[in-house]
Amino acid sequence: MIPSMLADMFRLDMPVVEKVLRTIVVYLLLLGLLRLAGRRELAQLNPFDLVLLLMLSNTVQNAIIGDDNSLLGGALGAVVLIGFNQLVVRFFYRHQAAERSLEGEEEILIQNGRLNEGQLKKELITRHQLLVAARAQGFDTLDEVESADINSAGSFIFTRKRPTEDEQRQQELLDRLDRLAGEMAEIRAALARLGR
């Protein structure tokens, strides 16, 4: 009984070459579909996106393994996925122009403090989602943001607004007043000690 069970676990029901090709084709198909779906899928997973990715993985599983439910078949599929992914990553590391053409450029979501509504719509990013991403990077409101981009990996990049010259002068005056108030407090304390 045990020898036949072990034989079933390690017997491939399809040729190795077919299993390798199936895995690579499905990998490339998913890579292309995720690229077409846009950066939003990579930027923030909402419950809908998570369900989609989980169902997608289950859907393509059979395309990779076919009728093969053996342990060796699953292990071979995993090895091919990881190995092929490493080859793709190394290729794009060496050919960054090809990577840029596949992944695209950064997209500007806020420029000079103004929302780029057209780009938000294109990327399917709501104001609320952008605000959540800004808050995660230390901004309280979008009014504090000078510029915001989404890069090809789906990460948000925010730049804080710089204060105007008037705001800088006002802050400098407030800082000086604070220093003077501190010095006055020290003088009063010293005078109070002398007056004892």
Side-chain angles (χ1 to χ4, degrees):
M1 171 126 178
I2 291 179
S4 69
M5 183 177 68
L6 288 174
D8 289 342
M9 285 175 58
F10 294 100
R11 183 183 66 238
L12 289 175
D13 293 338
M14 70 175 60
V16 171
V17 173
E18 181 182 347
K19 176 148 310 268
V20 169
L21 288 175
R22 281 173 169 262
T23 304
I24 291 172
V25 168
V26 170
Y27 176 92
L28 292 172
L29 175 71
L30 287 176
L31 189 65
L33 288 173
L34 286 174
R35 172 64 179 109
L36 289 174
R39 299 164 221 257
R40 181 183 166 279
E41 301 299 324
L42 302 172
Q44 293 180 339
L45 287 180
N46 63 37
F48 305 111
D49 298 330
L50 180 59
V51 168
L52 172 72
L53 289 176
L54 290 173
M55 291 178 70
L56 188 60
S57 66
N58 192 43
T59 302
V60 299
Q61 173 187 353
N62 291 339
I64 292 174
I65 65 170
D67 293 332
D68 187 352
N69 289 322
S70 69
L71 178 63
L72 186 58
L76 179 61
V79 167
V80 171
L81 273 174
I82 291 171
F84 190 69
N85 185 62
Q86 284 297 312
L87 289 174
V88 169
V89 169
R90 288 178 189 273
F91 173 80
F92 284 126
Y93 177 77
R94 292 188 182 119
H95 303 90
Q96 292 180 5
E99 180 181 26
R100 280 191 300 276
S101 68
L102 176 68
E103 291 186 349
E105 299 293 324
E106 287 184 354
E107 299 294 342
I108 299 170
L109 304 176
I110 298 177
Q111 187 172 24
N112 299 325
R114 292 196 175 106
L115 284 173
N116 185 340
E117 297 286 350
Q119 198 60 45
L120 287 172
K121 191 173 187 177
K122 178 183 172 196
E123 296 293 335
L124 300 174
I125 298 171
T126 65
R127 286 177 182 230
H128 177 72
Q129 289 169 329
L130 191 59
L131 176 60
V132 168
R135 285 184 176 161
Q137 292 191 24
F139 295 86
D140 292 325
T141 68
L142 292 178
D143 293 332
E144 300 173 25
V145 178
E146 175 68 22
S147 67
D149 302 335
I150 185 169
N151 66 18
S152 58
S155 298
F156 291 103
I157 302 161
F158 292 93
T159 305
R160 190 172 301 280
K161 283 184 179 176
R162 291 194 176 95
T164 64
E165 285 185 37
D166 288 340
E167 291 170 333
Q168 285 178 335
R169 277 193 221 115
Q170 181 180 6
Q171 188 58 48
E172 288 172 6
L173 287 173
L174 290 172
D175 291 343
R176 287 179 185 172
L177 286 173
D178 285 343
R179 279 196 305 272
L180 285 173
E183 289 173 6
M184 290 294 291
E186 289 176 12
I187 292 171
R188 283 188 188 128
L191 289 174
R193 282 192 300 269
L194 288 175
R196 286 185 181 169

